[in-house]
Amino acid sequence: MAKHQFQTEIGQLLKLMTHSLYSNKEIFIRELVSNASDALDKFNYLSLTDEKYKNEAWKGQIFIGVDEEDGSLTIGDNGIGMNEADLISHLGTIAKSGTKSFIESLTGDAKKDSNLIGQFGVGFYSVFMVAQKVDVITKKAGETQAYKFTTDGTGEFEIVPVTKESQGTIVYITLKEDEKEFLNQWRVKEVVKKYSNHIAYPIMLHFSEEETTGEGENKETKKVKKSEQINAASALWTLPKSELKKEDYVEFYKTISHGDAEPLAYMHNKVEGAQEFTTLFYIPKSAPFDLYRADYQPGVKLYVKRVFITDDDKELLPPYLRFVKGVIDSEDLPLNVSREILQENKILANIRQNSVKKILTEIKKLNKEDAEIFTEQYNRVIKEGIFTDYTNKETLLEIVRYKSSVQEGLIGLDEYISRGDSQKKEIYYIIGKDEKVLRNSPLLEAYKKANIEVLIMDDEEVDSIVTPMIGMYKEWSFNDVTAIEAPESKTQEEKEEISKEYQALTDKIKEVLGSEVKDVKISTRLTSSASCVVKDSSDPMASMAHMFVQMGQKMPDIPLILEINPEHEMIKKLDALTDDNLFSDAAWILLDTAKLSEGLELKDKIVFAQRVAHLASKAL
Ligand code: ADP
Ligand code: MG
């Protein structure tokens, strides 16, 4: 007899299961059935690809037994099974970083949290919501010794050798006193129908029912053992579209998503011809928890001729579509295709290309309401796609949404274009961290005045990398308003004239600010603000500055150009000022306030405050 400690994280998880996640207990059946199905998939694959496991007679099956007399529920399979080492590593430890992120992302809302269980690959432990004791009796395919793993879910487990005829696993659950509802055959059927109807193997329910025979004197009532298949056991994607209703697709989605939410959209396609394959994809209504984790779990499973191959291949779809769930079933790939082969396989590349097209087409077709949900959940990964998927860039640009200077909410580029100047074909944008700062940026004043719409891009981390490399959309070019001339309100001659008029002033300010600015100019883009800072469009570093920060490097010091507004009170007064100290304070304040309104950091906030105070006291 060997006693073992659970890994610490599992201890934590078990506590959570038993004390917090109590609102949706029935899902433990879904989790154990899903594990049984995985175990059958694994053996099925071996039996078809490895001589050692060849077994013509084998038919995968799952069974569920209810026994009211001893208060136990049993969920079993004739799949791959586990040996002693497997039990310790698969059930005693969590290899994936799943548990940690699971615990981290718990919301405290019991209902939501229990929905997360399946997603995190901590499915087995959900059984402790209802179990006082669990015995896992299992024999690994091709081995002779069977083992029993026993735990009451408190921190320890025990493994002993036992005898078991056939390969596979039986999970024997002793239910807690107040969880006996799961001994009711109707209850079990209901749960299986709800979550596991489209598990590809038959699920047999074993139960006993009272039966009365005979009449009058001879009347006799006894318990009879019965068994019944309680799921559809069809690989849904293999059925013709014409036979399937929305409910069927939604049901299957629940099975593969380990949840009970409906999908936002689904797309089922059979491709025939030189290559044959079937795909069934779903877009979840809410993004998976690990969308932005490097170790995300891919959502698409690969099958070859209905045989499960892998659910852990990140190459099946491009990474930016990692939120898509579903199935790819190829008729042409070899069964024993290795991971390395998959990577550069032409057949798969073709499936992938076709799949991306199908998915993006479906996204474009979403109605207004669903498109809004989509944008809220996935706009950011679409931007990632714009950056990485050159082939589908145009389509992705049709899908992506941005905020706009002329309205609330989000708009698409087509909407922008429909309102823009179709002669010039220019798209204007401004990037920064804070929507409010951007909307009030002095740089937009000239655009407002000229009635030109500017896209407000406040997802700086992503936009600052993606937008500068978009280049064109439908012949319209992208322009960063911080790096270009403002829309013209004055002629070149008028501009030169004003510049000359204020030459002495701009020179003097430049002298005060020294190397802090590259130049000081008279602005034609400002109306209400006194000053603004712009990037030097001729400086190649300017558009790349944000990228440095992204890559964890210091923002390079790109010299800014200070522009001042000659119409503004402050500038007029400054021009007439004779006090040099006051002039210097005012010059610095012009620069610092301009920086602040672009959301830029000041080198020394205290000095800034002192200058403002000094100037204010003079004004009084
Ligand atoms: P996941 O299914 O996401 O891997 P689980 O907690 O549900 O996480 O299961 C943990 C592991 O235990 C599985 O990956 C599998 O290796 C093993 N396992 C669980 N149930 C079975 C079973 N019925 N047959 C064989 N192995 C199983
Ligand atoms: Mg599982």
Side-chain angles (χ1 to χ4, degrees):
M1 189 176 290
K3 275 200 192 286
H4 303 264
Q5 286 296 121
F6 277 117
Q7 183 193 20
T8 333
E9 283 88 352
I10 295 190
Q12 265 171 291
L13 190 62
L14 288 172
K15 258 197 212 125
L16 270 166
M17 290 295 171
T18 38
H19 300 297
S20 315
L21 306 176
Y22 42 72
S23 80
N24 198 17
K25 291 179 180 170
E26 64 186 26
I27 62 155
F28 80 94
I29 294 181
R30 172 187 82 197
E31 293 305 317
L32 296 185
V33 165
S34 145
N35 286 349
S37 170
D38 292 347
L40 294 169
D41 277 342
K42 283 179 196 154
F43 183 75
N44 188 29
Y45 177 73
L46 278 184
S47 77
L48 292 167
T49 54
D50 192 332
E51 273 306 311
K52 209 175 111 200
Y53 296 99
K54 210 167 194 123
N55 181 349
E56 305 286 342
W58 183 83
K59 273 188 73 185
Q61 212 179 71
I62 298 170
F63 73 86
I64 302 182
V66 288
D67 188 334
E68 288 181 47
E69 256 137 60
D70 75 351
S72 73
L73 179 72
T74 320
I75 299 183
D77 63 74
N78 57 342
I80 185 88
M82 287 177 274
N83 59 24
E84 188 173 15
D86 292 339
L87 282 169
I88 294 171
S89 74
H90 298 338
L91 299 185
T93 52
I94 291 187
K96 294 177 239 170
S97 51
T99 313
K100 250 188 103 198
S101 39
F102 175 66
I103 293 171
E104 277 165 15
S105 59
L106 288 179
T107 61
D109 175 339
K111 182 150 198 307
K112 272 196 204 135
D113 289 347
S114 55
N115 266 332
L116 292 175
I117 295 177
Q119 284 195 33
F120 283 88
V122 289
F124 172 77
Y125 306 97
S126 63
V127 73
F128 290 101
M129 291 191 285
V130 299
Q132 49 173 298
K133 183 173 163 234
V134 175
D135 298 285
V136 180
I137 300 135
T138 178
K139 186 163 130 189
K140 189 158 185 170
E143 298 187 13
T144 47
Q145 183 61 58
Y147 295 91
K148 183 168 87 171
F149 163 106
T150 304
T151 179
D152 61 2
T154 50
E156 276 185 347
F157 61 91
E158 192 177 283
I159 298 178
V160 293
V162 291
T163 46
K164 180 179 186 300
E165 274 292 300
S166 52
Q167 74 179 54
T169 302
I170 301 168
V171 183
Y172 181 95
I173 305 156
T174 310
L175 292 166
K176 290 180 190 164
E177 268 320 308
D178 44 4
E179 306 298 345
K180 296 285 162 74
E181 66 183 278
F182 296 108
L183 295 178
N184 178 321
Q185 55 153 312
W186 302 108
R187 182 79 175 98
V188 174
K189 278 182 195 166
E190 174 198 45
V191 179
V192 168
K193 185 101 183 117
K194 184 161 162 194
Y195 300 107
S196 314
N197 198 25
H198 292 286
I199 289 284
Y201 303 94
I203 302 174
M204 306 300 296
L205 181 68
H206 301 305
F207 56 99
S208 345
E209 219 168 39
E210 286 192 346
E211 248 179 32
T212 313
T213 50
E215 293 280 321
E217 286 282 294
N218 296 327
K219 196 165 166 176
E220 207 183 338
T221 305
K222 58 176 181 186
K223 287 231 166 179
V224 185
K225 289 206 160 133
K226 292 196 165 171
S227 143
E228 184 188 327
Q229 181 173 334
I230 57 170
N231 69 328
S234 58
L236 185 100
W237 67 90
T238 60
L239 304 176
K241 262 168 125 166
S242 56
E243 276 177 29
L244 294 167
K245 292 195 291 289
K246 184 179 174 204
E247 295 93 89
D248 301 313
Y249 287 111
V250 170
E251 233 176 40
F252 183 65
Y253 176 68
K254 289 180 181 174
T255 302
I256 62 168
S257 67
H258 291 229
D260 55 10
E262 290 200 4
L264 187 64
Y266 59 84
M267 50 234 93
H268 184 193
N269 287 289
K270 210 180 205 108
V271 174
E272 275 160 348
Q275 258 187 51
E276 278 184 36
F277 58 89
T278 304
T279 57
L280 173 55
F281 297 122
Y282 293 91
I283 299 172
K285 264 205 176 110
S286 53
F289 78 94
D290 58 359
L291 191 62
Y292 296 111
R293 293 179 61 96
D295 59 352
Y296 70 88
Q297 173 70 37
V300 175
K301 295 187 183 199
L302 176 68
Y303 288 76
V304 171
K305 299 187 190 75
R306 257 114 14 248
V307 177
F308 170 78
I309 306 293
T310 176
D311 60 359
D312 196 26
D313 191 311
K314 295 187 174 173
E315 311 280 323
L316 297 177
L317 289 178
Y320 73 92
L321 291 179
R322 58 191 175 273
F323 58 88
V324 173
K325 294 203 182 305
V327 171
I328 295 175
D329 191 349
S330 162
E331 296 294 321
D332 310 299
L333 282 169
L335 261 181
N336 49 1
V337 61
S338 75
R339 194 170 274 260
E340 295 68 44
I341 292 176
L342 272 181
Q343 300 237 337
E344 50 219 55
N345 186 283
K346 284 230 174 66
I347 298 172
L348 199 64
N350 178 40
I351 295 177
R352 185 173 133 130
Q353 209 177 13
N354 176 290
S355 301
V356 175
K357 288 249 147 57
K358 283 281 177 327
I359 293 167
L360 296 184
T361 307
E362 200 62 31
I363 295 173
K364 277 204 297 188
K365 284 199 296 205
L366 290 175
N367 66 35
K368 193 167 179 292
E369 198 181 323
D370 288 345
E372 272 167 23
I373 298 175
F374 181 86
T375 300
E376 192 176 308
Q377 298 295 320
Y378 307 114
N379 208 28
R380 214 179 190 198
V381 279
I382 291 299
K383 291 176 185 173
E384 208 180 298
I386 295 171
F387 193 69
T388 52
D389 184 356
Y390 192 76
T391 327
N392 296 293
K393 189 170 139 193
E394 188 87 1
T395 315
L396 289 161
L397 285 169
E398 280 175 58
I399 294 170
V400 73
R401 295 287 177 269
Y402 294 106
K403 290 176 180 153
S404 149
S405 63
V406 305
Q407 66 168 81
E408 293 287 303
L410 293 149
I411 62 157
L413 293 175
D414 287 328
E415 195 177 338
Y416 182 97
I417 284 176
S418 72
R419 297 195 280 249
D421 182 339
S422 57
Q423 297 294 311
K424 281 199 181 144
K425 295 195 188 323
E426 310 259 37
I427 296 172
Y428 299 97
Y429 66 88
I430 184 165
I431 298 177
K433 267 194 259 313
D434 185 331
E435 180 181 354
K436 217 166 139 198
V437 170
L438 293 175
R439 285 193 183 280
N440 293 312
S441 165
L443 296 182
L444 297 193
E445 286 169 13
Y447 292 86
K448 276 177 204 152
K449 205 168 153 196
N451 259 324
I452 296 172
E453 182 169 10
V454 179
L455 297 174
I456 307 287
M457 303 194 178
D458 62 349
D459 189 358
E460 187 181 28
E461 270 182 51
V462 176
D463 291 326
S464 62
I465 295 181
V466 176
T467 318
M469 55 72 61
I470 295 177
M472 291 281 198
Y473 174 64
K474 295 186 176 164
E475 297 179 348
W476 288 59
S477 65
F478 274 74
N479 300 283
D480 179 352
V481 301
T482 64
I484 56 163
E485 288 291 317
E488 288 309 331
S489 51
K490 296 197 166 58
T491 64
Q492 195 58 31
E493 279 137 46
E494 284 173 324
K495 270 167 74 179
E496 273 166 27
E497 200 170 307
I498 313 173
S499 293
K500 232 181 253 154
E501 191 184 328
Y502 285 91
Q503 185 77 48
L505 178 63
T506 47
D507 282 351
K508 198 170 165 194
I509 296 175
K510 199 174 166 196
E511 203 184 303
V512 171
L513 300 178
S515 62
E516 279 302 299
V517 290
K518 179 159 181 183
D519 204 355
V520 179
K521 286 183 180 166
I522 288 299
S523 183
T524 51
R525 68 175 92 216
L526 298 172
T527 51
S528 55
S529 304
S531 62
C532 67
V533 285
V534 294
K535 289 177 216 151
D536 177 7
S537 53
S538 65
D539 187 336
M541 289 299 280
S543 64
M544 284 168 31
H546 294 286
M547 220 186 288
F548 280 86
V549 183
Q550 283 299 301
M551 297 186 304
Q553 296 182 19
K554 244 191 77 192
M555 176 87 150
D557 275 328
I558 295 165
L560 295 165
I561 297 172
L562 177 69
E563 290 191 1
I564 57 173
N565 177 5
E567 318 281 333
H568 197 275
E569 269 297 299
M570 184 167 170
I571 304 299
K572 283 184 183 150
K573 287 200 172 138
L574 199 59
D575 200 21
L577 199 66
T578 47
D579 180 336
D580 277 351
N581 279 335
L582 210 53
F583 184 93
S584 154
D585 279 345
W588 280 105
I589 285 170
L590 280 175
L591 176 64
D592 286 349
T593 47
K595 278 183 166 177
L596 284 176
S597 52
E598 296 312 319
L600 298 170
E601 281 288 321
L602 296 187
K603 283 214 177 105
D604 194 336
K605 286 189 187 124
I606 296 173
V607 176
F608 173 69
Q610 283 165 351
R611 284 184 182 130
V612 172
H614 183 213
L615 206 66
S617 69
K618 287 284 173 191
L620 289 172

